[in-house]
């Protein structure tokens, strides 16, 4: 696992300098539907797109309130494959391997993604998809299914912003709004 993470980090970092490299910053506000508690997440993604394949690494930090409350951190290595281009419609599938770290535990997890991106015109794109995630050791209560709907806008050829709403079911019962900025190189 460590070799896979290191290889992806190096590929992502060196990929930034080449065509297809990108960096994304994310801010997410989550609401636990069971407890009513709110969490915030910040994320940094470094990646490289080679044709229809996207390789990336994501580092995130989660806290109940910025500067207050318990902190959890995560690292994910991700690969996503897009297919076809019928009228700009792009279905995709992906796989993720990650590590979750909290003050009391840390554990590995995996996830599978599927969805479709659709051009909406005038620089806008839509994205509808789902993710299944679980810990390798299922006693960690990390099994969730998440659906999302996103709207992106290309500010320039290199800069884009997006907003996404998602709902998770399973060990996490959350609704979340994510705001992101992506810079391509």
């Amino acid at each position: 696992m460590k070799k896979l993470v290191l290889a992806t980090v190096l590929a992502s970092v060196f990929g930034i300098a080449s065509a297809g490299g990108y960096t994304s910053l994310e801010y997410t506000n989550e609401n636990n539907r069971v407890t009513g508690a709110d969490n915030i997440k910040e994320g940094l993604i470094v990646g490289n797109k080679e044709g229809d394949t996207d390789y990336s690494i994501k580092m995130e930090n989660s806290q109940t309130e910025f500067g207050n409350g318990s902190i959890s951190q995560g690292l994910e290595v991700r690969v996503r494959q897009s297919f076809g281009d019928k009228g700009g419609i792009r279905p995709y599938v992906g796989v993720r391997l990650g590590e979750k770290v909290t003050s009391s535990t840390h554990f590995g997890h995996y996830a599978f993604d599927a969805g479709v991106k659709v051009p909406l015109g005038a620089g806008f794109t839509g994205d509808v998809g789902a993710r299944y995630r679980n810990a390798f050791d299922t006693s960690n209560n990390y099994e969730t299914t998440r659906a999302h709907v996103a709207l992106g806008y290309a500010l320039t050829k290199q800069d884009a912003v997006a907003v996404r709403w998602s709902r998770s079911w399973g060990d996490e019962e959350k609704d979340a709004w994510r705001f992101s900025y992506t810079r391509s190189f």
Side-chain angles (χ1 to χ4, degrees), residues 126-130 147-152 163-167 176-178:
D127 183 343
V128 177
H148 74 263
V149 174
L151 179 65
V163 61
R164 185 186 86 175
W165 180 83
S166 63
R167 174 165 275 189
W177 285 97
R178 174 182 292 166

Side-chain angles (χ1 to χ4, degrees), residues 5 27 40 47 50 54 101 115-116 144 154 169 181:
V5 170
Y27 171 82
I40 59 170
E50 295 181 16
D54 185 339
V101 179
V116 62
T144 59
W169 299 270
Y181 165 75

